[in-house]
Amino acid sequence: MKRVLSIILVLGIMMLSTAAAAATGYDTVFSDISGHWAKDTIERMANLGIVKGVGNGMFLPDREIKRSEFIVALHKAAEIKINYFKAPDINEFFDDVKNEDWYASTLYDLASLNIVDDREKFRPNDLITREEMVHYLVNTYKYKLNIVLDQIDEKDKCFDDEESIQKQYKESVKYAFKLGFVRGRSNGKFVPKGYSTRAEAMIVLEKLMQALKENIKAEVEVIPSFEKHEDGYKMALTIKNNSKKDVVIQHFSGQKYDFVLLDDKKEELYRWSGDRAFVEILTSTEIPAGKTVEFSEILDAKTYDEISGKAYYFKAVIVGSSEDFEINEDGYYLSLKEEKDNKLEIVPSYKKGEKTFTMKLSIKNTSKKPITINHTSGQKFDFKLLDENKEIIYTWSADKIFIMMETQTVIDPGKTVEFADELDMESFGDIVKKARYLKAYIVGASEDCEIEEDGYEVEITESKENSLVVVPEYEKSQNTFTMKLKLKNTSDGDITINHSSGQKFDFKLLDKNKEILYTWSADKGFIGVLTETVIDAGKTVEFEEKLDMENYKDVIGKAKYLKAYIVGTSEDCDIEKDGYEIEIK
């Protein structure tokens, strides 16, 4: 009897605990975070299993976190999964960690991926510094998205105490700030050597997870298609998972997709699911990383022929929801207007002269039937000039008056109509200099084609007479690996490149994933003095550096790409900030 009462009592306590957890909205509740600035994040991360408490219902949010504790939480947050053919040995990387240590397998994963890029000593029981934490965080971000981050301009200052950031971590700290992962503690200082608290660690890990999720959303591609088939028409919905993470779609019934045909007003003409029944059961579709799923159905030719004259749009719908990427509830549209004869090719353009600036709008009918554009007044077109922020600085029609009568523009098959107007540079020179975009508008409507109400835009670029051909090269020999950067001036005038220091160029070696293996300038110092490189007309300047194979054999063996950089700016030509790349074969 006592045993039965004990079981009932335990069950009652469990039910009360469950009810309490449900009331807070979290499975895990800590007694020492009430009112703490990171309370919500800590509860979310604990609920996801990223972190645990320290016992007795406590989390200790302001206690510093150890290096071993942080890398375990990072491993979970990034969902790192690696299968090995043989048992991993942590001593391949570190001599102060044992294989039986509770964090050893996690550390092995991160070290093998170069997320944790320390070697020999890991110092697992040391408290992690803020600069170390941020470095591992950014390394994870780069690995998960398989990207090489752009070079950060050394002049871009993020924190007042940047000089105290260790050189190997400086770029990571700047990127973490740029990506919104970290902020300063106070007075604009990062405090790189300060120890990170458990609460701070949860905040940055959640931001990492959110950033990865947002990128995964962008990397899931949904493509509708409607193609002729031997039995009629194939309606398809293709979902490509280009990310490095599996995505799952939850369906509320046996129906996973739908296909719809619509008229030119987007009124429904046909729905595939209209005469079908589906089982009321929860189902799911899992799309592994790098894989594609296609749903398709055949619409018989007879059914389509009955509505083909009216069908203007095809819509494919994912019937379900996903936490891994954003599903467009309204569906994914494909225009079937290509089946109509009428087509319009619209091209805005401009011409800059010493005395005039000409704005043009060319409208070409590429179909076999005339196209009619109806105008509600005498105004048939318009032009606007926009500045670098796309703010309007000039509107052609602003000071003009048009007769209020309906007019038409008829464009015969294969013919082109052009609208144009000029601005004299004497009166409008200042506006034209500020203008970075020209926007041209068709003021009217047509039943024969679509007209963009938002206009047609073209960028206004500065034409530079001087032309620079930049060619990265390499030479491999038994003893050396030579990296070269050739700059050839193909113009009739000299080209000057201005450098903010003694460094005029740089070289980087990248692996197959385009991760940086070696940076030539990393261990070099340059004088802080303005210098310049002048390339005479028709001449070539070459920069080169050699690596001896004895010291750099392993790096060169892994290198799949050479990236060469011009470190400087020029008013005579465009310089690619992202560098010039060549594959190493």
Side-chain angles (χ1 to χ4, degrees):
M1 183 65 179
K2 286 182 179 178
R3 180 177 176 82
V4 173
L5 287 173
S6 298
I7 293 171
I8 293 171
L9 183 61
V10 168
L11 288 171
I13 293 169
M14 289 174 64
M15 290 172 68
L16 286 170
S17 300
T18 304
T24 62
Y26 296 95
D27 296 331
T28 306
V29 180
F30 299 112
S31 62
D32 60 342
I33 61 173
S34 178
H36 194 277
W37 59 273
K39 176 181 181 291
D40 291 345
T41 295
I42 292 168
E43 289 180 328
R44 283 193 295 269
M45 298 298 272
N47 193 38
L48 291 169
I50 306 300
V51 70
K52 296 179 180 179
V54 296
N56 298 321
M58 300 179 71
F59 183 76
L60 298 184
D62 298 319
R63 193 187 81 180
E64 289 88 357
I65 189 168
K66 294 179 181 178
R67 286 167 57 80
S68 54
E69 292 171 334
F70 179 78
I71 61 106
V72 169
L74 176 63
H75 188 277
K76 291 177 180 177
E79 297 183 352
I80 302 291
K81 295 176 184 177
I82 303 177
N83 295 317
Y84 298 100
F85 292 108
K86 65 176 184 176
D89 182 3
I90 194 62
N91 297 129
E92 293 175 21
F93 299 108
F94 306 105
D95 58 21
D96 60 348
V97 180
K98 297 177 182 178
N99 285 313
E100 55 268 27
D101 288 334
W102 65 277
Y103 53 83
S105 61
T106 292
L107 179 58
Y108 187 92
D109 285 352
L110 298 185
S112 65
L113 297 173
N114 224 33
I115 290 172
V116 174
D117 47 9
D118 313 90
R119 292 297 180 262
E120 296 183 4
K121 301 293 182 187
F122 177 64
R123 302 176 287 110
N125 294 317
D126 283 4
L127 300 175
I128 195 165
T129 64
R130 285 166 58 78
E131 62 184 1
E132 290 170 339
M133 175 183 71
V134 164
H135 181 61
Y136 299 151
L137 198 77
V138 172
N139 282 351
T140 304
Y141 181 80
K142 292 192 293 185
Y143 163 72
K144 289 292 288 184
L145 300 182
N146 191 26
I147 58 173
V148 176
L149 295 172
D150 297 332
Q151 271 192 316
I152 289 279
D153 192 337
E154 286 295 324
K155 294 178 182 177
D156 291 344
K157 194 170 183 179
C158 304
F159 301 104
D160 292 338
D161 56 349
E162 284 181 14
E163 68 281 353
S164 61
I165 300 173
Q166 203 166 323
K167 187 177 180 180
Q168 69 196 80
Y169 302 137
K170 188 167 286 189
E171 192 172 80
S172 293
V173 172
K174 284 179 176 285
Y175 269 114
F177 178 81
K178 183 179 178 182
L179 294 167
F181 292 165
V182 293
R183 293 180 297 178
R185 274 189 170 171
S186 62
N187 301 322
K189 295 183 183 297
F190 176 63
V191 194
K193 303 296 188 292
Y195 298 124
S196 176
T197 67
R198 286 165 59 79
E200 287 175 333
M202 292 307 102
I203 292 290
V204 297
L205 288 175
E206 185 176 50
K207 287 182 177 180
L208 171 67
M209 292 168 69
Q210 289 169 347
L212 294 176
K213 186 175 180 180
E214 286 302 313
N215 277 277
I216 287 170
K217 283 181 183 178
E219 290 174 3
V220 176
E221 193 177 355
V222 183
I223 306 166
S225 62
F226 187 86
E227 299 173 350
K228 193 162 181 58
H229 187 270
E230 58 185 357
D231 298 321
Y233 288 84
K234 180 183 176 182
M235 305 177 292
L237 174 63
T238 304
I239 307 171
K240 291 183 179 180
N241 181 4
N242 300 317
S243 73
K244 299 181 77 173
K245 178 182 177 181
D246 298 349
V247 300
V248 177
I249 303 169
Q250 306 291 344
H251 310 284
F252 310 113
S253 70
Q255 183 183 5
K256 299 183 175 183
Y257 55 90
D258 209 349
F259 299 114
V260 185
L261 286 171
L262 309 156
D263 64 15
D264 58 348
K265 296 178 181 176
K266 296 194 175 178
E267 297 288 337
E268 196 170 302
L269 298 170
Y270 165 85
R271 180 177 287 270
W272 170 77
S273 65
D275 57 354
R276 288 172 172 78
F278 303 94
V279 292
E280 295 295 323
I281 183 172
L282 294 175
T283 57
S284 65
T285 299
E286 184 172 335
I287 311 173
K291 300 297 183 181
T292 298
V293 166
E294 181 183 273
F295 301 119
S296 65
E297 296 291 341
I298 301 299
L299 174 64
D300 65 275
K302 182 181 177 182
T303 301
Y304 182 68
D305 288 343
E306 291 174 357
I307 59 173
S308 62
K310 299 178 182 178
Y312 202 76
Y313 297 100
F314 168 70
K315 181 171 76 170
V317 182
I318 300 174
V319 183
S321 62
S322 177
E323 294 183 357
D324 301 317
F325 74 106
E326 190 172 349
I327 293 175
N328 188 341
E329 294 181 1
D330 190 41
Y332 301 85
Y333 285 83
L334 179 69
S335 175
L336 302 179
K337 63 180 180 182
E338 285 75 16
E339 294 183 5
K340 294 178 178 279
D341 288 329
N342 293 335
K343 279 188 179 181
L344 207 59
E345 191 176 290
I346 302 169
V347 181
S349 62
Y350 65 91
K351 185 177 181 182
K352 233 185 217 182
E354 287 185 18
K355 296 182 178 181
T356 59
F357 179 82
T358 306
M359 305 172 290
K360 296 180 181 179
L361 176 61
S362 173
I363 308 171
K364 184 177 182 180
N365 181 359
T366 60
S367 74
K368 297 178 181 178
K369 291 183 179 180
I371 289 179
T372 300
I373 302 171
N374 299 301
H375 313 282
T376 56
S377 73
Q379 183 182 5
K380 298 183 176 184
F381 62 92
D382 207 349
F383 295 111
K384 292 184 181 183
L385 293 175
L386 314 178
D387 64 15
E388 59 184 2
N389 299 315
K390 297 203 173 179
E391 298 289 336
I392 298 169
I393 56 176
Y394 169 81
T395 301
W396 172 78
S397 64
D399 59 353
K400 292 171 178 63
I401 298 173
F402 304 95
I403 56 171
M404 297 306 296
M405 72 177 291
E406 293 185 356
T407 57
Q408 285 185 339
T409 298
V410 180
I411 310 172
D412 292 326
K415 299 297 182 180
T416 299
V417 167
E418 185 175 277
F419 300 118
D421 207 347
E422 291 182 348
L423 298 180
D424 68 276
M425 295 298 285
E426 185 176 348
S427 301
F428 294 95
D430 290 341
I431 289 176
V432 172
K433 284 179 183 177
K434 293 177 184 177
R436 292 293 175 269
Y437 302 92
L438 166 67
K439 222 169 190 184
Y441 297 81
I442 298 173
V443 182
S446 177
E447 294 182 359
D448 304 320
C449 62
E450 280 190 1
I451 294 174
E452 289 290 337
E453 291 183 7
D454 195 37
Y456 304 87
E457 187 176 278
V458 63
E459 185 177 2
I460 299 171
T461 57
E462 292 292 334
S463 56
K464 294 181 179 179
E465 294 181 1
N466 292 336
S467 181
L468 188 66
V469 177
V470 184
V471 182
E473 294 180 350
Y474 69 91
E475 287 181 7
K476 253 185 192 177
S477 70
Q478 189 174 351
N479 299 319
T480 59
F481 180 84
T482 306
M483 304 172 291
K484 297 181 179 181
L485 177 61
K486 290 184 178 179
L487 315 178
K488 185 176 181 180
N489 180 358
T490 59
S491 74
D492 297 328
D494 297 347
I495 289 178
T496 300
I497 301 171
N498 300 301
H499 313 281
S500 57
S501 72
Q503 184 182 6
K504 299 184 175 183
F505 60 92
D506 207 351
F507 294 109
K508 291 187 179 184
L509 294 175
L510 315 177
D511 64 13
K512 62 181 181 181
N513 298 317
K514 298 203 174 179
E515 296 287 341
I516 298 170
L517 297 169
Y518 167 83
T519 302
W520 171 77
S521 64
D523 58 352
K524 293 170 178 62
F526 301 95
I527 55 172
V529 60
L530 296 175
T531 57
E532 63 179 29
T533 298
V534 180
I535 311 172
D536 295 332
K539 300 296 183 181
T540 299
V541 167
E542 183 174 318
F543 302 117
E544 72 169 53
E545 289 294 334
K546 296 185 178 185
L547 299 179
D548 65 276
M549 296 296 285
E550 185 177 350
N551 293 325
Y552 293 96
K553 184 179 180 181
D554 292 341
V555 171
I556 294 167
K558 294 177 183 176
K560 298 300 179 188
Y561 301 92
L562 166 67
K563 216 166 192 183
Y565 297 82
I566 301 171
V567 182
T569 59
S570 177
E571 294 182 357
D572 304 320
C573 63
D574 289 325
I575 293 174
E576 289 291 335
K577 289 184 179 179
D578 196 37
Y580 304 85
E581 188 175 278
I582 185 173
E583 186 177 0
I584 299 173
K585 298 180 179 179

